[in-house]
Structure formats: structure tokens, C-alpha cells
Amino acid sequence: QVQLEESGGGSVQAGDSLSLSCAASGRTFSTDHMGWFRQAPGKERELIAAVSSASIRRYYADSVKGRFTISRDNAKKTVYLQMNSLKPEDTAVYYCAVRGPVRSGTTWYGVKVKDYSYWGQGTQVTVSS
């Protein structure tokens, strides 16, 4: 079992920055790929960033590429999401998640919700114009 707890959400103005953290507890963290998802009202939950277990590989959705940075500290069992140049369309609940076993034919980062085994409770990010 893995427990995940996000923090760092809040309300900001367009153009501001925000940093999210996700602290993990439970089983080994260093061998898990991690992802950040977000879900806006009335929309499906979408993967926006992922980092491989040893931070060698990163994935970003086009909507956040160049503005968001995902990182992790395995010693602290924490994954981060640095969000810069925030836009109103970034308003959503942000979730961190543990990638499940990578099945044949799927990408290491797994874009689907079902590709992830454990989830945090989410943290709200609101960006006003």
C-alpha cells in the first residue's frame, strides 16, 4: 500500500507560479514511476506530467510543456510539480499518482487513469485572470 498526500495548491493570478508537492509513505517509492494528473470541472482527469523512477525520463502534456516541471526526491519520497506562467485554464484539482505495472504495449508514463495504482486526495489550484 502507498499513501500519497498532495500540498501546495491555492488561488493565484494568471502569470504567477505555484509549487505542488506530493509526499509518499508506505512501500518503496524509488522504484515507482510517478505522475501528476489534473481534473477540471466537467472534464476528464488528464495526465500532465510524469517522471520515471530514477528521474531519467520525463513526460509533459502539450498543454503544460515549457511551463511546468516535474521532479522528485527519492530520499524524501516526494514528487514535485513546479508550475510557472499559470493560466486560467490550469484551474483544476491536481492529483499525484503511482504508475502501476508497465504492461507490454504501453508507455512507461501511462496516460490513462487506469494505468495508475495509487492516488492522492488532490489539491485545488485556481488561477484567475
Side-chain angles (χ1 to χ4, degrees):
Q1 282 283 357
V2 177
Q3 292 78 44
L4 302 173
E5 184 172 0
E6 302 97 338
S7 61
S11 297
V12 296
Q13 298 286 322
D16 285 351
S17 298
L18 208 56
S19 181
L20 304 183
S21 298
C22 172
S25 60
R27 72 176 200 197
T28 302
F29 172 82
S30 61
T31 58
D32 293 319
H33 304 325
M34 299 293 296
W36 281 99
F37 283 73
R38 69 184 181 188
Q39 188 167 18
K43 294 189 176 181
E44 293 187 355
R45 195 172 296 189
E46 62 170 343
L47 178 71
I48 56 171
V51 61
S52 63
S53 58
S55 299
I56 294 174
R57 293 174 289 183
R58 288 174 173 81
Y59 164 84
Y60 296 99
D62 288 342
S63 58
V64 305
K65 198 173 294 183
R67 299 188 298 123
F68 290 12
T69 302
I70 188 171
S71 61
R72 65 190 295 165
D73 185 333
N74 286 345
K76 295 182 178 179
K77 290 190 174 182
T78 302
V79 62
Y80 306 95
L81 186 67
Q82 176 64 39
M83 305 184 294
N84 298 329
S85 302
L86 283 162
K87 304 175 181 180
E89 50 263 44
D90 294 319
T91 295
V93 178
Y94 284 70
Y95 300 88
C96 68
V98 177
R99 176 72 163 98
V102 180
R103 300 182 306 277
S104 176
T106 65
T107 58
W108 68 267
Y109 49 86
V111 297
K112 299 180 180 179
V113 170
K114 67 178 183 179
D115 292 330
Y116 287 74
S117 301
Y118 300 98
W119 295 82
Q121 82 288 349
T123 186
Q124 177 71 47
V125 172
T126 302
V127 184
S128 56
S129 58

